Amino acid sequence: MALKDKIEEIKKDLVESQVWKAIFRHGYEDTPRNRVLMVTANVWMHLHPAKVRRHGVRMRFTWCMGGLTFLMFLMTVITGIYLMFYYRPVAEYAYADMKYLEFDMPFGMLMRNMHRWAAHAMVVFVWLHMFRVFLTGSYKPPREFNWIVGVLLLVLTLLLSFTGYLLPWDQLSIWAVTVGSNMARASPLLGHEGPFHEFVGANPIYDARAFLFGGGEIGPHTLLRFYILHCIFIPLVASLLMAVHFWRIRRDGFSGPSL
Amino acid sequence: MAEVAQERKRPIDDKVHTWPHLVRAEFLVTIFVVVVLTLWALLLDAPLEEPANPTRTPNPSKAPWYFLGLQEMLVYFDPWHAGVVLPTFIIIGLMVIPFIDINPAGNGYYTFKDRKYEILTFFFGFHILWVSMIIIGTFFRGPGWNLFWPWEHWDPHKVVALTNVDLPYLVGIRNQTLSILFGIFCVVVYFIVGVGLFYKWVVRVKGQEFMERWGPVRFGITAFLIVTMLALPVKMFLRLALNVKYILATKYINI
Ligand code: HEM
């Protein structure tokens, strides 16, 4: 008790000191009205409702997984912008730029590592998030549509990771992407190794995979294509869908046991 | 009496202010995860191998780990099934979940008791099939996509007898037309029997009344997806136990 009083006293002295008042003018009064205003009057905070049900705050309900997926997305955006300053999506330079980034740029290696591991974590978190939403049955009416938006986000998350995999332009990346896109080659009608391809005249330089690669084999065009998909197109679409996702969470109401 | 009714009608207010309760939790978790991520990035470097060389194919060439489930399915299915048809079914299958699951229980809270079969199905598809295929693809596949124990030396010259044959051949059919007919027969029977068994099972476990509420469209989609999903373990078994390559082998379609 005595200690607590002492701390209160020090706090009071501090807050009422001339220096403090010069900086902050007046304090934040902890009233219900102010608590609501903190959320509704702030463009970032008002992603949240002003009040949430008690169970929704608990970590054992959400496992924090949706939020952490979003956090990982933000981390990859921030570190990715840093990487973009030094990386040129041109076959002659890409690999050298990776080396340059690793050995010469301040924090280059750290940024690259964080970008890579955050991307992996995002894949794992989005799976766990889906699992949690399944277990709490949160896709049931009225949230069916948001589950569909979620599935699209899941696919986009995988595609984001996959397109980024090519950019270091090393042995690991071109061969992983070669194997990963063989399916386009095998797709029916549109792939030159798929069934019925004769009927549309698909061939190695004119089929679904060639469209993705910008040529019959992985090459400089593929690098540029994947770079644009990875840095502009997919993040843009994913951001739009996330906006829809978050909007629908607010509109449909957060799930929870009926009262 | 009147008082009790009044009490019931008043909604229970179990809400708390987002600020500070939720924002505080988000803030702390964010800091914690960012610190862990930073430490992880400081301790472990992202891989960077030799420069890309289109003339030197590494053996094995592996897709990124989250796609290794699909690459592993290539062992058991035709490329366009493993790479195009089944992934499409996975995505569509996930999207239709809210529409085929008409069980009102367990909306917004954890329960196993009220949703046993839904949860077990999801668990089977996600954890048993998808995750275990990724684990096999990551840790147990070496050169030539052959099976290796994680501690085993990756011998690129490992000799593996190619003894796989198509099912019609295994049962002694040598004529090509007969083989195709037999293959089609087997696939059709698999689906009819599978869907039929599923129907009987649903009626037995959930009752005729449930089946009527569920309706033929929901039942049909669910049955098809489940029987298709089960084709993976069935084909794994046929391959590993009987060395069966395809059940139906034609110029266009291999199943
Ligand atoms: C980029 C990927 C995703 C992001 C950033 C994201 C983000 C979020 C966030 C922040 C929430 C709030 C609650 C929570 O944290 O659990 C949420 C809820 C939800 N998410 Fe996602 N999500 C993503 C992918 C998915 C996927 C793959 C699914 C399902 C297939 C999904 C379905 C849902 C549903 C139905 C809700 C409402 C849950 C409820 O009311 O209890 N989301 N999401």
Side-chain angles (χ1 to χ4, degrees):
Chain A
M1 248 327 168
L3 182 68
K4 208 174 161 199
D5 289 344
K6 195 85 196 149
I7 291 176
E8 278 302 315
E9 207 174 296
I10 295 174
K11 197 171 142 195
K12 194 157 165 264
D13 286 348
L14 187 70
V15 170
E16 283 173 7
S17 70
Q18 194 183 354
V19 177
W20 184 279
K21 284 212 163 141
I23 301 173
F24 296 107
R25 286 299 167 212
H26 53 79
Y28 160 81
E29 210 181 331
D30 193 12
T31 60
R33 185 184 138 79
N34 270 345
R35 287 181 167 197
V36 170
L37 280 178
M38 280 310 274
V39 175
T40 55
N42 178 310
V43 64
W44 307 114
M45 283 298 165
H46 96 293
L47 205 59
H48 302 105
K51 283 176 140 199
V52 280
R53 283 177 59 191
R54 202 173 289 276
H55 73 93
V57 178
R58 295 210 179 109
M59 231 188 273
R60 86 181 111 93
F61 187 77
T62 62
W63 311 347
C64 291
M65 277 307 152
L68 286 183
T69 309
F70 186 49
L71 177 66
M72 289 301 109
F73 179 74
L74 294 179
M75 295 295 292
T76 51
V77 169
I78 294 167
T79 52
I81 288 175
Y82 188 86
L83 298 179
M84 279 174 82
F85 284 129
Y86 302 110
Y87 172 86
R88 287 165 290 178
V90 183
E92 288 89 341
Y93 299 133
Y95 185 78
D97 284 351
M98 298 305 292
K99 288 282 184 200
Y100 182 54
L101 212 123
E102 289 194 358
F103 293 107
D104 272 355
M105 288 328 298
F107 302 109
M109 192 71 206
L110 181 67
M111 288 296 137
R112 174 163 187 243
N113 291 344
M114 283 179 81
H115 192 74
R116 168 72 66 125
W117 303 138
H120 284 195
M122 186 172 167
V123 171
V124 173
F125 288 170
V126 77
W127 286 350
L128 290 175
H129 172 56
M130 179 173 74
F131 188 43
R132 162 334 251 181
V133 172
F134 184 87
L135 283 185
T136 54
S138 303
Y139 56 82
K140 299 191 177 198
R143 288 175 206 85
E144 306 99 310
F145 180 69
N146 218 11
W147 170 270
I148 295 182
V149 174
V151 176
L152 293 175
L153 279 170
L154 172 79
V155 175
L156 287 177
T157 305
L158 294 175
L159 288 181
L160 264 178
S161 259
F162 182 66
T163 49
Y165 217 86
L166 183 68
L167 304 185
W169 206 241
D170 64 344
Q171 278 290 73
L172 192 65
S173 53
I174 66 160
W175 291 104
V177 169
T178 305
V179 172
S181 39
N182 277 348
M183 56 188 264
R185 194 168 64 179
S187 50
L189 294 172
L190 302 179
H192 76 274
E193 283 177 5
F196 314 119
H197 69 269
E198 312 77 307
F199 303 117
V200 281
N203 61 50
I205 56 163
Y206 187 73
D207 73 342
R209 194 172 84 138
F211 177 68
L212 183 69
F213 278 4
E217 294 294 333
I218 287 198
H221 302 92
T222 322
L223 186 57
L224 186 58
R225 270 181 198 212
F226 273 47
Y227 178 76
I228 292 169
L229 289 175
H230 183 73
C231 302
I232 298 175
F233 185 70
I234 307 180
L236 205 65
V237 179
S239 308
L240 291 176
L241 280 179
M242 278 183 213
V244 176
H245 198 60
F246 299 155
W247 165 256
R248 288 298 291 234
I249 298 171
R250 292 291 307 277
R251 288 296 106 181
D252 299 338
F254 197 60
S255 69
S258 46
L259 290 168
Chain B
M1 260 324 258
E3 248 185 332
V4 174
Q6 196 77 48
E7 193 104 51
R8 278 243 190 79
K9 251 193 248 143
R10 200 170 54 219
I12 310 156
D13 186 20
D14 75 337
K15 290 200 167 171
V16 292
H17 281 110
T18 299
W19 179 281
H21 298 282
L22 179 58
V23 176
R24 178 176 56 202
E26 288 174 346
F27 184 66
L28 292 177
V29 171
T30 301
I31 290 183
F32 177 74
V33 172
V34 170
V35 167
V36 170
L37 183 72
T38 311
L39 287 179
W40 184 10
L42 284 170
L43 295 177
L44 206 64
D45 284 346
L48 185 66
E49 296 188 351
E50 303 151 41
N53 181 352
T55 58
R56 254 198 53 228
T57 314
N59 186 9
S61 303
K62 292 194 180 186
W65 61 270
Y66 37 84
F67 283 152
L68 282 184
L70 300 180
Q71 199 178 356
E72 181 63 19
M73 285 203 296
L74 281 174
V75 175
Y76 304 101
F77 290 97
D78 210 25
W80 76 279
H81 285 143
V84 183
V85 177
L86 293 177
T88 310
F89 282 165
I90 294 175
I91 294 170
I92 293 179
L94 284 171
M95 284 186 179
V96 298
I97 286 178
F99 304 97
I100 56 181
D101 176 5
I102 58 166
N103 181 357
N107 186 343
Y109 55 97
Y110 290 96
T111 164
F112 180 70
K113 208 169 86 265
D114 297 339
R115 309 173 57 212
K116 265 201 295 279
Y117 303 109
E118 294 93 318
I119 290 178
L120 285 177
T121 311
F122 193 86
F123 193 82
F124 180 76
F126 183 49
H127 295 255
I128 309 280
L129 293 183
W130 182 249
V131 175
S132 71
M133 297 294 265
I134 287 178
I135 291 172
I136 294 174
T138 309
F139 298 110
F140 295 89
R141 292 290 183 183
W145 211 252
N146 288 316
L147 281 173
F148 287 88
W149 292 110
W151 55 87
E152 212 178 332
H153 168 62
W154 273 11
D155 177 5
H157 306 295
K158 177 171 173 169
V159 178
V160 181
L162 293 173
T163 50
N164 295 338
V165 292
D166 295 332
L167 186 65
Y169 189 92
L170 189 75
V171 297
I173 300 173
R174 297 291 182 269
N175 175 305
Q176 203 199 350
T177 317
L178 272 182
S179 296
I180 292 177
L181 288 176
F182 180 74
I184 294 176
F185 174 77
C186 287
V187 173
V188 171
V189 164
Y190 171 77
F191 274 93
I192 291 179
V193 170
V195 172
L197 284 178
F198 184 65
Y199 183 85
K200 291 206 99 148
W201 180 82
V202 173
V203 170
R204 200 163 89 228
V205 174
K206 296 260 187 179
Q208 189 67 46
E209 183 271 335
F210 172 83
M211 189 53 103
E212 266 151 37
R213 252 190 318 127
W214 212 20
V217 176
R218 287 199 190 92
F219 166 78
I221 293 174
T222 314
F224 175 76
L225 288 172
I226 286 186
V227 174
T228 307
M229 179 163 89
L230 288 176
L232 177 61
V234 167
K235 278 214 78 174
M236 286 173 81
F237 171 79
L238 286 177
R239 174 67 57 83
L240 298 174
L242 304 171
N243 289 321
V244 171
K245 189 160 169 26
Y246 292 125
I247 293 164
L248 166 65
T250 69
K251 182 164 166 241
Y252 292 117
I253 291 171
N254 299 305
I255 294 175

